Each structure stands twice: as C-alpha cells, then as structure tokens.
Amino acid sequence: MMAAKGNAFSVMMNAQKRKLADGAAKTAAQPAKKGHWSMGLLSSMEDPALKVDSDDKVVIIKDKYPKARYHWLVLPKENISSLKAVSAKQLDLLKHMHKKGQELIDKTEDAKHLSFRLGYHAIPSMSHLHLHVISQDFDSPCLKHKKHWNSFTTDYFIDSTDVMEELEKEGKIADKGSRNERLKDPLRCHVCKKEQVNMPKLKAHILSHIPKPGDKK
Ligand code: AMP
Ligand code: ZN
C-alpha cells in the first residue's frame, strides 16, 4: 500500500519534471537540459539527505543553501508551480503547510531564543510552490549577496499569514512582480534598522543581535 503511494508520487514528480522541462524548452527556444536548476526542488523532495518530514500532503526539506541557522522549505505534493497558480480551493493546503512549518519550529530547542518567520518570496527563482521557514539570525556562509539579504528582510518576503489572509479575502494572490525593486534597497539591519555600507559590515553587525541560549524572545 505504502509502496503504491510512493510510486504514484514518483510518477507524478517525473511527469512534473517533464512538464517543467518542456516549459523551459519553450522559453529558451532550445531543448531544456535534464536537471535544469529551476527544477532542483523536485529532486530534493526525494533526497533522503534533505528530507526532514512528510505526510500525505507535503514534504519538508532543508534548504540546500541555508541563509540562516535553520532554513527549511515546506512543499506541497500537489503540482503547484507558484503562488500565481494558487486559488481559493488551496487555502486549506496553505494553512496545512504553515501548520507543518510551525510544528517544526516548535520542536526546535533553539526556537526558545531564536525568532523565526514563515513566508514566500514575491518572485521565486525555483519552480514548485515552497514556503520558507527561516530563523532570523541570518548566520550562514550561504548568505552572501545584497539580493539574498533583501529577499528575506524587505517586503519581497511575504509572511505566510498575509498570503493566507489575501487568499481568503480575494480568492487569489495578486502578482507581486513590482517587489523586484526591493532587491535594490539599501542594506539595512532587520533588527535595529541601521543602514550598513556593505555585506561584510552587515554580517558582522547582525551577529551582535543574535540572542543566546537562555535569552528570552
Ligand atoms: P526562492 O527564491 O523562493 O525560489 O528560493 C528558493 C530556495 O531554494 C533558496 O532558498 C535556495 O537556497 C533553495 N534551493 C536552491 N536549489 C535547491 C535545491 N536543489 N534543493 C534544495 N533547496 C534549494
Ligand atoms: Zn542592528
């Protein structure tokens, strides 16, 4: 029974990979390479080294290039390319994705002192809907560029609660393409809001804000 379910999931994933490859081929006007980078999340959903949890509706993986001490992605098993493709009938699924992310935070000992956010990027780079669950220390060697920083600390990062509220009220998620401009914003500390001259200075500065075990949030 379990094996049949697993096979059905793999069949769905392979069909989705083919569909994405076809789409990429159309935009690039040349055959899409197998394993195109934008399809990476689909492979990672099946990678035991990255998989943290799953149920009948979602898979949770570690972000392969974490931008903080804790950075997970919650992905639906249902074939949904991005928030653009989400409709009112998926509200319960989005609520479930949020709940699973929050459960993972609650199970994390360091969450007693570290804050977390759950949200979506306005313009995702990777195919397949994914909810970021990320601790707010941003203490990671993978966080290198201004684009990385601004994608998690400006309104390019949309809180999952706001997404669910918009979907409940409007029945869809409006295009957030104009938020691309936020990636060019000046570098600003997400805690004290002081502007920083460059990434090395910003990275050194934010270390001073990271709470230690025993600190209260
Ligand atoms: P987004 O900008 O919302 O599309 O973010 C995609 C996220 O996926 C980033 O945080 C990347 O670090 C992460 N990522 C990229 N490739 C992979 C992969 N193959 N497996 C897991 N995570 C990935
Ligand atoms: Zn600061």
Side-chain angles (χ1 to χ4, degrees):
M1 188 63 192
M2 287 304 286
K5 251 191 179 177
N7 286 343
F9 180 56
S10 294
V11 168
M12 187 274 279
M13 283 304 179
N14 287 336
Q16 197 176 343
K17 281 176 198 167
R18 276 195 302 276
K19 209 173 142 196
L20 283 162
D22 289 350
K26 269 178 211 148
T27 21
Q30 60 186 18
K33 289 189 187 86
K34 199 176 166 222
H36 188 267
W37 63 267
S38 65
M39 294 186 281
L41 296 183
L42 293 177
S43 312
S44 294
M45 283 170 84
E46 297 177 272
D47 181 349
L50 292 176
K51 202 159 150 182
V52 174
D53 192 14
S54 68
D55 65 13
D56 56 332
K57 296 186 192 71
V58 300
V59 175
I60 308 182
I61 59 169
K62 286 183 198 163
D63 193 291
K64 202 168 177 178
Y65 311 100
K67 308 299 187 293
R69 289 183 189 169
Y70 297 90
H71 189 181
W72 300 293
L73 303 173
V74 185
L75 304 111
K77 286 186 174 175
E78 190 182 336
N79 178 8
I80 305 172
S81 55
S82 72
L83 282 180
K84 280 191 198 169
V86 165
S87 67
K89 66 178 194 296
Q90 275 118 5
L91 180 60
D92 283 345
L93 176 63
L94 263 57
K95 285 183 181 170
H96 184 72
M97 288 166 65
H98 183 103
K99 187 175 128 239
K100 293 298 286 185
Q102 187 59 53
E103 278 173 10
L104 202 51
I105 297 171
D106 295 342
K107 277 194 253 168
T108 304
E109 182 64 23
D110 282 347
K112 289 192 178 119
H113 63 279
L114 293 179
S115 310
F116 280 75
R117 282 180 80 190
L118 302 96
Y120 299 86
H121 276 154
I123 308 148
S125 53
M126 302 296 284
S127 289
H128 201 83
L129 183 67
H130 50 279
L131 169 68
H132 292 266
V133 180
I134 183 163
S135 58
Q136 297 297 294
D137 50 88
F138 297 112
D139 178 21
S140 165
C142 295
L143 188 113
K144 292 179 180 157
H145 309 297
K146 186 181 192 176
K147 274 187 185 176
H148 291 156
W149 179 255
N150 282 339
S151 76
F152 285 100
T153 59
T154 66
D155 67 5
Y156 191 93
F157 188 84
I158 315 163
D159 281 312
S160 163
T161 46
D162 291 342
V163 168
M164 293 186 294
E165 199 182 306
E166 185 176 340
L167 189 59
E168 193 149 29
K169 272 195 199 146
E170 311 295 337
K172 62 180 172 59
I173 306 298
D175 182 65
K176 305 279 191 290
S178 62
R179 297 196 188 183
N180 202 28
E181 289 302 301
R182 299 280 68 75
L183 298 179
K184 297 181 208 150
D185 281 359
L187 288 174
R188 198 173 285 287
C189 170
H190 64 314
V191 180
C192 72
K193 311 295 174 202
K194 269 192 209 133
E195 204 171 311
Q196 305 294 321
V197 288
N198 56 34
M199 281 304 285
K201 288 260 158 52
L202 171 80
K203 292 198 68 160
H205 171 87
I206 57 175
L207 290 180
S208 66
H209 289 302
I210 300 176
K212 290 166 191 63
D215 288 353
K216 290 219 170 93
K217 275 198 272 187

